Amino acid sequence: MIQINSEQQVLQEGFQILLSSLEPSKFARFCAAWGASNSDYLKTKDELFAQESVNSLYAKISDFQALKPES
């Protein structure tokens, strides 16, 4: 049996890929631009970050920046 993901699942997976691939400021800019469209950015944001705290996000940002090559 073929399982088809819902639109919300596909969007959430896409956001997770962007979040792990983009530096935080670019991800925020993307979200702001995407939020200007007809989609419900606030609902998606709440779902994406439901398990996050300021400390966990800070740790992820710090880890990301540590892996980023110096310019």
Side-chain angles (χ1 to χ4, degrees):
M1 177 179 212
I2 297 174
Q3 182 178 1
I4 298 175
N5 294 332
S6 70
E7 291 292 318
Q8 186 62 36
Q9 289 170 318
V10 172
L11 289 173
Q12 189 160 359
E13 184 177 344
F15 269 112
Q16 289 296 336
I17 291 167
L18 289 171
L19 184 59
S20 65
S21 300
L22 293 174
E23 59 186 78
S25 63
K26 287 182 181 178
F27 178 73
R29 288 176 58 200
F30 172 83
C31 289
W34 185 70
S37 69
N38 293 332
S39 58
D40 190 349
Y41 163 73
L42 294 177
K43 180 180 175 188
T44 302
K45 175 191 65 74
D46 289 344
E47 291 172 358
L48 282 173
F49 298 110
Q51 304 302 315
E52 300 289 350
S53 67
V54 171
N55 291 333
S56 67
L57 288 172
Y58 178 81
K60 287 180 179 182
I61 291 168
S62 295
D63 291 346
F64 180 87
Q65 289 178 332
L67 294 173
K68 183 178 158 188
E70 293 294 323
S71 299

